[in-house]
Amino acid sequence: MSPLLSTEVFSRRLLDWFDVHGRHDLPWQHDRTAYRVWVSEIMLQQTQVATVIPYFERFMQRFPDVKALAEASQDEVLHLWTGLGYYARGRNLHKAARVVVEQHAGEFPTDSLDAMAALPGIGRSTAGAIIAQSTGRRAVILDGNVKRVLTRLHTLEGWPGRPAVERELWHLAEHYTPEQRVVDFTQGMMDLGATLCRRGQPDCERCPFADVCVARARGEQKRFPESKPKKAIPLRHTRMLVLSDEAGRILLEQRPSQGLWGGLWGLPQFDSDAEIDAWLDTHAPGAERDEPWSSFVHVFSHFRLEITPVPARGGRVDGVAEGRLWYDPQAPESVGLAAPVKKLLASLAPFALSQPPSR
């Protein structure tokens, strides 16, 4: 597919717009180190800027540099990540920090796109954003905002996740990225997609490319980019044991590092009440199981999970094995919690297990 404009014309239009309407005061734009840009880019994957800002500021306060992050425990990292979702991003952030410290002497390898992209959780576009934003050297980005802008400008058919479509988008992004003012250009492309060329209601009247945008000319802005072919979203079921001791503390287990809620702390999960009873007989003899609370559904990108909390009281638990802890909802520990578990624990009344309010 042939580009609509030359590199010079495209970049001049974008930068003229960015200078007036772009975002110039985001926290990671000050003291713009590779570390700060990297953390912001990972947080911004699948999350809005307004949501990310307070998380970023808390994260920087606790982990001001990559060494501090690498030396932290995964629990502490995931605790500060709780609420951002997609917890693999938080785990990979921690892993990448350790790789940077152990293999790159604490310095991000911004002189090599391949070396940056090889770090856990960093792909080609994120690597380009970190290099461009922290060094000013020419590097190409292709995040969701850029894909949306380029797809609409050229009415590029097909879901952008398809390899053939993505290759076309990289070709266009390479063509349009200039040699000069790369920091502002890459930020401008992200801002254009986030503030004007929005997914639901694009503001075409204020767009610097309104006169050449093929989708606008056809009145087909909302058709592009094409959505991922839909599959039926399955509904899964689980029962979560809410076991309390005499002090009102709740027993939590740490999830395996891989898989759903990897590395986070949650309530013991079972497929049936019979499995819960067998577990209680073995691990907490004498505990009394109460009637299940109302079920609720937690939605993931690829399935829905119906969760039924099952309360139980008392019993004798012989210590707490490795990978388990007693959690006090009134004095919560700094551990990473699965989002629905965090909400459930927050709903518990002081030192009592009454039915949480309906969701």
Side-chain angles (χ1 to χ4, degrees), residues 27-28 43 49-59:
W28 44 89
M43 287 186 171
V49 167
T51 300
V52 163
I53 288 174
Y55 280 93
F56 177 83
E57 292 175 336
R58 286 194 295 268
F59 211 85

Side-chain angles (χ1 to χ4, degrees), residues 98 153 318:
R98 292 186 167 177
L153 276 175
D318 295 327

Side-chain angles (χ1 to χ4, degrees), residues 2-113:
S2 299
L4 295 174
L5 300 170
S6 68
T7 304
E8 294 74 18
V9 172
F10 186 95
S11 60
R12 184 174 66 249
R13 285 191 181 200
L14 180 72
L15 290 168
D16 286 348
W17 173 84
F18 173 77
D19 288 341
V20 178
H21 302 289
R23 296 180 288 196
H24 301 273
D25 200 32
L26 298 172
W28 44 89
Q29 293 175 327
H30 305 288
D31 188 19
R32 205 191 296 251
T33 64
Y35 173 70
R36 290 170 64 84
V37 172
W38 165 60
V39 172
S40 72
E41 286 293 323
I42 302 302
M43 287 186 171
L44 286 166
Q45 292 171 358
Q46 302 147 316
T47 310
Q48 297 293 319
V49 167
T51 300
V52 163
I53 288 174
Y55 280 93
F56 177 83
E57 292 175 336
R58 286 194 295 268
F59 211 85
M60 287 299 112
Q61 185 176 9
R62 173 58 188 87
F63 308 120
D65 53 43
V66 70
K67 185 174 183 291
L69 178 56
E71 291 175 347
S73 69
Q74 180 177 271
D75 268 344
E76 189 173 9
V77 175
L78 292 179
H79 172 67
L80 287 178
W81 198 270
T82 299
L84 281 172
Y86 299 94
Y87 291 95
R89 294 184 299 163
R91 293 194 301 274
N92 282 331
L93 196 81
H94 191 220
K95 291 177 185 175
R98 292 186 167 177
V99 172
V100 170
V101 169
E102 294 168 5
Q103 299 182 19
H104 299 283
E107 298 291 335
F108 283 84
T110 55
D111 57 343
S112 169
L113 181 67

Side-chain angles (χ1 to χ4, degrees), residues 164-178:
V165 179
E166 191 170 41
R167 283 194 296 272
E168 289 283 357
L169 287 168
W170 275 112
H171 167 71
L172 293 169
E174 287 277 0
H175 169 79
Y176 288 132
T177 302

Side-chain angles (χ1 to χ4, degrees), residues 231-247:
K231 297 180 180 179
I233 300 178
L235 177 64
R236 303 179 187 175
H237 307 268
T238 191
R239 303 178 89 74
M240 291 187 175
L241 174 62
V242 189
L243 176 62
S244 65
D245 65 6
E246 294 179 354

